[in-house]
Amino acid sequence: MNWLDLQARRRVCASALSLLLFALVCAILCLPRVEEPAAQVTAPAETVDQFRLSRDQLRAQECDQLRKLLDDPATDSAIRARAQERLMNLMQWAETEADLEEILEKRGFECVLVSVHQDSANVLVRTDSLTQADAALILELTARQTGLTGGAIKIIPVEK
């Protein structure tokens, strides 16, 4: 497998995740607005578990492809360096996701899923309602843990 195939597969996986998040955001935006609490939930509880499974499967596939590329003696040194960097990023993001999920759950948020990328983070929280104070706390903790600014962090409440 060459680097272009890997890049194409990566784009397809990223597109699939983006479409899922887009569908969730659209569902949230289509609901009638209520002043308090700050946000209403919009998706079934299984969404968090399904997204976690999808995230983990896609990451495992990408890591496997990168490892195969790194193990191939015919791989060019420049491609090998890029693959190693990507693998390191994936491992770092996975660690950040796990840390942040644990932090948020210890702060009282029930079922949390975090998905970190190079320039964005998505936080799915299983809750009946998400107040502005809760959203602000999630945003602050996520920004602190990831180093991202508020505009790059999306908080998505999911019904219990």
Side-chain angles (χ1 to χ4, degrees):
M1 177 185 327
N2 67 33
W3 181 252
L4 291 177
D5 290 340
L6 182 62
Q7 287 289 15
R9 287 182 182 176
R10 187 174 144 253
R11 284 190 197 114
V12 168
C13 292
S15 295
L17 286 174
S18 296
L19 286 174
L20 176 62
L21 288 173
F22 178 74
L24 286 172
V25 170
C26 287
I28 290 169
L29 293 176
C30 290
L31 286 179
R33 293 275 179 202
V34 176
E35 280 302 312
E36 199 56 38
Q40 292 296 318
V41 295
T42 62
E46 295 80 27
T47 301
V48 173
D49 297 327
Q50 290 169 348
F51 190 80
R52 183 183 316 278
L53 179 63
S54 176
R55 176 197 69 182
D56 293 345
Q57 287 174 339
L58 290 172
R59 181 161 292 148
Q61 288 175 350
E62 186 173 359
C63 286
D64 184 52
Q65 291 171 348
L66 288 167
R67 285 186 183 102
K68 286 179 183 176
L69 192 61
L70 290 169
D71 291 342
D72 185 353
T75 302
D76 179 66
S77 62
I79 292 173
R80 185 180 306 277
R82 288 175 58 191
Q84 183 65 38
E85 180 182 352
R86 178 68 181 172
L87 187 58
M88 294 295 285
N89 284 341
L90 289 173
M91 291 169 38
Q92 181 181 15
W93 295 336
E95 181 180 353
T96 299
E97 291 165 353
D99 290 347
L100 189 52
E101 287 171 3
E102 185 176 342
I103 289 167
L104 290 170
E105 287 177 1
K106 286 185 178 184
R107 293 300 296 258
F109 297 100
E110 195 171 305
C111 183
V112 179
L113 175 87
V114 179
S115 179
V116 176
H117 308 281
Q118 185 165 347
D119 55 0
S120 68
N122 301 300
V123 182
L124 278 73
V125 182
R126 187 177 293 165
T127 182
D128 287 328
S129 64
L130 189 65
T131 65
Q132 289 180 349
D134 289 342
L137 178 61
I138 293 169
L139 183 64
E140 175 192 345
L141 293 171
T142 304
R144 190 180 318 151
Q145 193 72 19
T146 62
L148 297 169
T149 60
I153 300 169
K154 295 174 190 71
I155 302 169
I156 305 166
V158 180
E159 78 180 12
K160 284 187 175 183

